Amino acid sequence: MIDALNSMLDSLMDSAYIKSLPFLYEGLKLTLLITIVGLFLGFILGAFTGLGRLSKNGFIRGISTIFVEVVRGTPILVQVLFIYFGISEDLIGVNISALTAAIIAITINAGAYIAEIVRGAVHSIDKGQYEAGRAVGLTERQTMRYIIWPQAFKRMIPPLGNQFIISLKDTSLFSVIAVGELVYQGRQYYNATFEVFETLVMVCIIYLMITIPTSVILRRVERKLDV
């Protein structure tokens, strides 16, 4: 029995599925790096843009709206190609690395969608909260900071988690500019070994190992926060 188990274990460890993991792991690290850094910067961009869409200043509101509509109306694949090939060569005359272009693309793309998350969350807070803040002597900025934003941020958490999953999967498109993320590493591996099925199965499994637990955690957080 033990010999049979050892034999099965040896066969598993020697299979194409397991052999592809070291190569895919390198791509996974880059995928997570692009996603996390891009979303962090995207949240900052999205917060300012979302609040800009609620601004009483027509110019700020207009610029914010144009940014959101343009980015949401174009595919992220086109955006990263434009950043990598168009902006770097034609506009600024500096070659942007593929990794930098990928992070910028995630930042801009996620920022536009996060802007709508922020706008919707802030807009959903009852107007009485604003009036209460002003009634106790807070300025408009202080009311936003201490009363509105904490409540709105709680409502942002579930959609921000969904945006993480979306951005994580969007990184697979960056293989077109040779960013060594998960899908690109998988393609490189199966082009060398011709083990296409096994490699793509492992790529799917790795994505699912991230997205499924994230979805479960988001549902629990949503229930706990009662949003």
Side-chain angles (χ1 to χ4, degrees), residues 189-207:
Y189 182 78
Y190 71 62
N191 284 337
T193 63
F194 303 102
E195 295 165 343
V196 180
F197 177 82
E198 296 88 344
T199 305
L200 292 179
V201 166
M202 295 308 298
V203 169
C204 291
I205 289 174
I206 291 172
Y207 274 118

Side-chain angles (χ1 to χ4, degrees), residues 1 45 48 51 56 62 65 67 82 90-91 112 114-115 120 122 129 142 153 171 196:
M1 181 67 176
L45 175 62
F48 281 104
L51 294 176
K56 295 178 181 178
T65 300
F67 168 77
F82 182 76
D90 297 336
L91 295 182
I114 291 174
V122 172
Q129 300 288 328
Q142 289 173 329
F153 184 75
T171 60
V196 180

Side-chain angles (χ1 to χ4, degrees), residues 4-16 18:
L5 289 175
N6 287 335
S7 178
M8 290 177 60
L9 183 60
D10 291 340
S11 298
L12 177 63
M13 297 302 295
D14 196 47
S15 69
I18 301 301

Side-chain angles (χ1 to χ4, degrees), residues 25-43:
Y25 175 68
E26 294 302 317
L28 175 62
K29 290 192 295 184
L30 208 54
T31 292
L32 292 176
L33 173 66
I34 295 169
T35 304
I36 293 171
V37 174
L39 276 181
F40 174 77
L41 298 175
F43 178 77

